[in-house]
Amino acid sequence: TEHPVDWAMTQNNLGLALRVQGARLGGEDGAALLAETVAAYRAAQRVYTEAEHPVDWAATQVNLGNALSDQGARLGGEAGAALLAKAVAAYRAAQRVYTEAEHPVDWAMTQNNLGLALRVQGAGLGGKANAALLAEAVAAYCAAQRVYTEAEHPVDWAETMENIAIAEENLADHETRANSVAHLRAGLEAVTAAMRVFEPEHMRNNFDRAERLKTRLEARLREGD
């Protein structure tokens, strides 16, 4: 009541700390902390409204989406898919403020997070509907690269290329053998491109992760020959 904007900012920071704490702790206690994270962001938005504080509202909306995505990925199954759907809705809402024209980098970041939520949601349950979610994930990542270009944002670009490769591999699992090969090839092309940026000397963890993905895709393609 007395310091609403400072309270909302602190509530948002509280949510950030709870999310990291919950991710590190794991188990039921970690899940409970993630639930507190979601509650903290929702509380902040009693002050950070879209009408009066649009940018702060959008940032909190993205944070809310991230927490819901963490919850959904951890829970799995239909309940997890429902939380991931809420995360997708949160990201899409944030983009009413984070537009590509006015906030291009924030828009691309949100677009990438949207792709992650769609991919996890689509990979979790199988079936045609979820294959469509994976295709939406690939489209979201590709759209993000209108801003995340290799020349101007090389690391973000490479990480998005790696995300495309993972989504393409997930799509391959939903398809017939002939279509599966096409997705695996697309994934291999994407991760190979990402490795132009993931230099082992400076980005060893990223390089090693991408190399494992590349090796797995190559092996799956050999099996399909």
Side-chain angles (χ1 to χ4, degrees):
T1 56
E2 294 182 7
H3 302 277
V5 174
D6 291 324
W7 176 85
M9 177 270 292
T10 306
Q11 197 73 9
N12 198 37
N13 290 349
L14 172 63
L16 290 168
L18 286 165
R19 183 187 175 210
V20 174
Q21 192 179 14
R24 290 186 179 183
L25 189 58
E28 292 184 4
D29 290 338
L33 288 168
L34 286 173
E36 287 187 52
T37 302
V38 170
Y41 293 138
R42 293 197 190 281
Q45 290 187 316
R46 296 202 297 266
V47 174
Y48 283 163
T49 65
E50 185 176 3
E52 294 186 5
H53 302 273
V55 173
D56 291 320
W57 174 84
T60 307
Q61 195 73 5
V62 169
N63 289 338
L64 174 62
N66 293 342
L68 288 165
S69 189
D70 288 348
Q71 274 189 308
R74 179 177 294 200
L75 188 58
E78 292 185 4
L83 288 167
L84 287 162
K86 289 183 180 181
V88 168
Y91 295 135
R92 292 196 192 281
Q95 290 185 317
R96 294 198 297 263
V97 174
Y98 281 166
T99 64
E100 185 176 3
E102 294 185 6
H103 301 273
V105 174
D106 290 321
W107 175 85
M109 174 270 294
T110 307
Q111 195 74 5
N112 197 39
N113 290 358
L114 171 64
L116 287 168
L118 287 165
R119 185 192 68 77
V120 176
Q121 189 182 11
L125 297 177
K128 290 184 178 180
N130 294 294
L133 291 171
L134 290 169
E136 284 188 58
V138 172
Y141 295 138
C142 290
Q145 291 189 316
R146 295 200 296 264
V147 175
Y148 282 166
T149 64
E150 185 176 7
E152 294 185 7
H153 301 274
V155 174
D156 292 320
W157 173 84
E159 289 177 345
T160 307
M161 289 298 285
E162 183 183 11
N163 287 336
I164 289 172
I166 295 168
E168 290 285 3
E169 184 182 27
N170 292 154
L171 270 168
D173 295 332
H174 285 75
E175 297 285 356
T176 62
R177 179 173 293 274
N179 291 332
S180 174
V181 167
H183 287 299
L184 292 171
R185 285 176 177 162
L188 180 60
E189 181 179 348
V191 74
T192 300
M195 293 175 76
R196 295 200 296 263
V197 174
F198 293 154
E199 297 178 0
E201 184 178 352
H202 301 106
M203 303 184 70
R204 170 55 67 179
N205 289 338
N206 297 78
F207 178 86
D208 288 346
R209 186 180 63 233
E211 188 172 46
R212 287 193 296 270
L213 175 57
K214 180 174 181 285
T215 300
R216 185 170 70 244
L217 291 169
E218 288 173 335
R220 291 187 64 177
L221 280 167
R222 284 195 299 270
E223 290 170 5
D225 288 341

